[in-house]
Amino acid sequence: MTMDTVDRIAAVMADRSASDWLRVALQTALARDPVEAANDAEFLAELLASRAADALRAAPMFFRD
């Protein structure tokens, strides 16, 4: 891991505005194989982005731009 990566991880872990969910997910991921964790994180991001897009499409028009 480069110092930039280490510093960025430390910054997220110390950031009080970062959600508990994000900090726990990051801490859990750091204990795993980095390639497997990254692959799972990419898949999770795709699923969550799709869910968010579905929610926005289903929202009444006054919630849209």
Side-chain angles (χ1 to χ4, degrees):
M1 232 182 318
T2 66
M3 281 309 292
D4 181 53
T5 301
V6 171
D7 291 344
R8 291 175 64 200
I9 290 169
V12 170
M13 296 304 284
D15 185 352
R16 295 181 68 148
S17 69
S19 70
D20 289 339
W21 183 86
L22 176 60
R23 288 195 303 265
V24 168
L26 180 55
Q27 188 66 42
T28 302
L30 292 173
R32 298 184 58 210
D33 175 88
V35 174
E36 288 181 7
N39 288 339
D40 287 349
E42 286 179 11
F43 184 56
L44 179 60
E46 290 173 14
L47 290 171
L48 294 176
S50 180
R51 180 176 178 251
D54 289 348
L56 288 174
R57 278 192 295 275
M61 288 302 287
F62 58 84
F63 286 122
R64 299 182 192 171
D65 289 326

